[in-house]
Amino acid sequence: MNKTRAIPRVLHPAHTRLGPSSPLKCYHALRQAFPPTRLSHLAPTACASQCFHDWTLRPPRRQLFQRGYASSRAAESTIKHTGLYDLHIKHGGKMVPFGGFSMPVQYADLGVGESHDWTREKASLFDVGHMVQHRLSGPAASLLLEKMTPSSVTALPNYHSTLSCLLHPGTGGIVDDTVITRLGPDTFYLVTNAACREKDLAYIEEQIAASDHPSHIDWQVLDGWGLIALQGPLSEEILQNALQALKATDLEGSEVALQKVYFGQCKHYIVNDPSSSVDAAPIMVSRGGYTGEDGFEISIPPSWTPTFTQFLLDNAGPDKLRLAGLGARDSLRLEAGMCLYGHDLNDDTTPVEAGLSWVVHKDRRTGGGFHGDGVILRQLRPVKEGGTGPSRRRVGLVVEGAPAREGAKIMATDGEEEIGHVTSGCPSPTLGKNIAMGYVKNGMHKAGTEVSVLVRGKKRKGVVTKMPFVASKYWKQAAGTSPG
């Protein structure tokens, strides 16, 4: 059958506007922004989550599949800014290139180690707007996701999320790690890594085109949308107070009650600042994060991103909330045992080798049907049961002496045999030890196994250690205690 070429639609900021008579407001905003000839293809479609009216520009189909990625394919050398760039400069952010964006590595008020400790003790706010936000919808969206990933997205309840991996056909190698959130029966929200943007967009385009029903899949890239991560034991208090001050309600008009939103769940809220000319808008609040602390990731329409972020900071005050950059984010995620794509994960590594077997959900282990299932399902079965098992495994390490950095060789203690390599490493501000993660050959992965790590030409004692290095503090329903 003929396969059409899919491209993502990039939402214009006007699509996010809400208020009295919101459909008309969206429509008139677009009439002012685009010529009438473009508006002949304007079609209103309600988001399955009913979080906002998605007034989508729909060019004729023949144009849709002839154009490029709209504005998504910027030159590799072009450094972009998130919607919070000016805020970073205002607060003394030390900016560095990262994932194609100019991002803060730290701020003037706190060093990297101090910012790390602040997050563990109080709360920090991270700009993660460089990451790519997608929305996949349509009758064939779940089938596509279950082909690209080993997750049971059809069984995922509405407003719940799962960590997953986009997989290469045949090999089962990881194209990228992603968080998938179900917003409705046929609507899903995904976040992927900025550094993998071009690869991921090409991959998803190819997968849609190769699917049985490409016309039944609508793919949007939410370019320009903000994404911030509020992390730390005071996160719930800070966000609850801020949303109450903004007179936020959920989509049913109920007051905000964040204590009922658990790890891996999300909720939409409508926020309105009476002192601002910015229209009311929906934000999506997801409980989780990349630090091991309780916290939230918040997706924000473009027009609200600077306003909402600054309001969070001002409403909480500097005694509770500070901005944090890439430096603290990296040491926090390493203490939490979390992977960074391009370092701890890559195209040649499977979820089983990466210690992410749990992303292969139970029903997928029997039915398969995802890319690389032949390789991955054999790796999940031990040799004695007819499988192959993985040839290598991701492990945590505590290393004596100098910290082991990416690329350091891991050696057996009883000889010169190289058994693996370090993929991430740093001193742990929380533990006061040098921690690392890396890959070792199967059989050398058990906790307590002693190894040698080659650091600056000298062998250092290392011990394989269970991860996370620092216990996670996620707010889970079964825990029965309030975070913080």
Side-chain angles (χ1 to χ4, degrees), residues 51-80:
C51 60
F52 56 86
H53 292 272
D54 174 15
W55 289 83
T56 310
L57 286 174
R58 297 184 184 275
R61 184 167 292 276
R62 63 180 181 276
Q63 293 181 17
L64 180 65
F65 294 104
Q66 289 172 358
R67 293 172 58 199
Y69 279 122
S71 63
S72 66
R73 292 200 171 184
E76 287 284 334
S77 60
T78 302
I79 299 296
K80 294 169 282 190

Side-chain angles (χ1 to χ4, degrees), residues 160 198 392:
H160 284 66
E198 296 303 314
R392 57 182 184 140

Side-chain angles (χ1 to χ4, degrees), residues 195-445:
C196 297
R197 179 186 174 99
E198 296 303 314
K199 179 178 71 168
D200 289 348
L201 293 180
Y203 170 86
I204 295 172
E205 176 185 338
E206 180 181 282
Q207 294 302 309
I208 292 175
S211 67
D212 292 335
H213 303 287
S215 62
H216 293 173
I217 300 169
D218 187 27
W219 172 30
Q220 301 166 12
V221 176
L222 306 181
D223 267 351
W225 280 58
L227 189 64
I228 57 175
L230 175 62
Q231 300 284 291
L234 299 183
S235 294
E236 184 189 289
E237 173 192 329
I238 289 169
L239 186 56
Q240 179 77 26
N241 290 342
L243 292 177
Q244 286 178 338
L246 291 171
K247 301 186 184 304
T249 63
D250 64 19
L251 299 181
E252 289 74 41
S254 300
E255 294 183 354
V256 176
L258 291 178
Q259 74 274 14
K260 296 181 180 179
V261 180
Y262 298 99
F263 177 76
Q265 297 180 0
C266 71
K267 204 167 182 66
H268 284 98
Y269 296 104
I270 305 298
V271 292
N272 182 30
D273 183 1
S275 66
S276 172
S277 60
V278 180
D279 293 325
I283 62 171
M284 188 173 80
V285 175
S286 304
R287 197 150 201 165
Y290 197 48
T291 65
E293 293 292 331
D294 181 40
F296 304 87
E297 294 192 345
I298 308 165
S299 177
I300 315 170
S303 61
W304 258 90
T305 301
T307 302
F308 183 80
T309 305
Q310 187 63 59
F311 185 84
L312 268 181
L313 291 166
D314 294 342
N315 196 65
D319 291 337
K320 292 183 177 180
L321 180 63
R322 301 283 185 96
L323 289 166
L326 296 171
R329 183 170 164 83
D330 191 54
S331 56
L332 288 161
R333 69 92 189 171
L334 186 52
E335 287 187 345
M338 295 184 178
C339 299
L340 177 62
Y341 193 90
H343 300 262
D344 314 302
L345 304 174
N346 59 38
D347 296 292
D348 300 320
T349 303
T350 69
V352 182
E353 294 170 330
L356 300 175
S357 297
W358 53 270
V359 306
V360 187
H361 292 168
K362 187 175 180 179
D363 63 314
R364 310 305 306 277
R365 298 185 181 207
T366 54
F370 53 88
H371 289 322
D373 55 357
V375 173
I376 291 172
L377 295 181
R378 285 197 301 272
Q379 288 182 340
L380 285 170
R381 291 194 301 272
V383 175
K384 64 182 180 180
E385 296 179 12
T388 63
S391 60
R392 57 182 184 140
R393 294 178 184 263
R394 182 173 64 95
V395 297
L397 295 166
V398 172
V399 182
E400 294 182 358
R405 304 293 186 179
E406 181 178 4
K409 295 179 180 179
I410 303 173
M411 318 288 289
T413 56
D414 57 356
E416 299 298 319
E417 180 189 6
E418 182 178 341
I419 60 171
H421 65 281
V422 171
T423 54
S424 291
C426 72
S428 164
T430 304
L431 301 176
K433 301 176 181 179
N434 296 319
I435 60 173
M437 67 171 69
Y439 285 83
V440 297
K441 73 177 187 177
N442 195 32
M444 301 294 291
H445 63 283

Side-chain angles (χ1 to χ4, degrees), residues 19-68:
S21 305
S22 54
L24 288 176
K25 184 171 287 189
C26 292
Y27 178 75
H28 289 307
L30 286 171
R31 284 197 67 85
Q32 294 173 5
F34 297 97
T37 53
R38 294 283 301 280
L39 289 174
S40 63
H41 306 291
L42 188 66
T45 58
C47 170
S49 67
Q50 298 181 347
C51 60
F52 56 86
H53 292 272
D54 174 15
W55 289 83
T56 310
L57 286 174
R58 297 184 184 275
R61 184 167 292 276
R62 63 180 181 276
Q63 293 181 17
L64 180 65
F65 294 104
Q66 289 172 358
R67 293 172 58 199

Side-chain angles (χ1 to χ4, degrees), residues 130-134 166 176-178 190-194 200 204:
H130 60 301
M131 301 187 75
V132 188
Q133 301 178 69
H134 313 250
L166 302 175
D176 198 2
D177 55 319
T178 182
L190 285 75
V191 178
T192 56
N193 286 298
D200 289 348
I204 295 172

